[in-house]
Amino acid sequence: MTGSSPDQWLFAYGALQDPHVQLDTFGRLVQAEDDILLRHTLDYADTEDTRDANPAGTTVLPVLRRTGNAFDRVIGKVLAVTAEEVDAADEYQMSLYLRTAVTLESGRRAWIYVGEHGGGRA
């Protein structure tokens, strides 16, 4: 997508971990490492957005929810991306979601996507 070096982190726990989605969104496979988002959990919601539909056509997506509970955690991947790739991820995300920064268990500051009620997907 761009010649610049990755200088940002994006936490992914859903579709953005998929190599096909990365190629489509970023134009490359992204370096990723395991990480954990603390004090959050996943719920699931139906959507009309078919970009994440599995082969059976199901459009139920994981939705990130902040709980504040120290025992809650979401396991995912932290992706090394450029500012341009963060913009591409913004376009990929549904318009109901906003990007916000969090600190992951590793201590990295990373972007996540949250909805108007504290939910999100990535």
Side-chain angles (χ1 to χ4, degrees):
M1 176 166 251
T2 179
S4 60
S5 297
D7 60 355
Q8 300 188 42
W9 297 106
L10 176 65
F11 183 74
Y13 54 88
L16 285 174
Q17 295 181 79
D18 184 294
H20 295 101
V21 173
Q22 288 182 12
L23 287 171
D24 188 48
T25 304
F26 306 124
R28 69 180 181 98
L29 294 178
V30 178
Q31 174 192 344
E33 297 179 23
D34 294 337
D35 215 327
I36 297 173
L37 178 60
L38 301 173
R39 302 182 190 294
H40 287 72
T41 190
L42 291 177
D43 291 332
Y44 293 86
D46 290 317
T47 180
E48 294 179 16
D49 187 344
T50 59
R51 293 175 299 172
D52 289 329
N54 66 27
T58 303
T59 54
V60 176
L61 299 175
V63 178
L64 193 62
R65 183 173 57 87
R66 178 167 172 69
T67 65
N69 184 328
F71 295 105
D72 288 335
R73 50 190 24 198
V74 176
I75 297 171
K77 300 281 186 185
V78 62
L79 311 177
V81 294
T82 65
E84 292 84 7
E85 290 168 335
V86 171
D87 290 342
D90 287 349
E91 288 181 29
Y92 172 77
Q93 299 301 322
M94 297 180 342
S95 62
L96 296 175
Y97 297 97
L98 302 172
R99 180 170 31 99
T100 189
V102 295
T103 300
L104 301 173
E105 184 179 60
S106 66
R108 292 181 180 109
R109 286 292 286 171
W111 296 113
I112 60 170
Y113 289 93
V114 297
E116 60 184 296
H117 300 293
R121 72 172 192 149

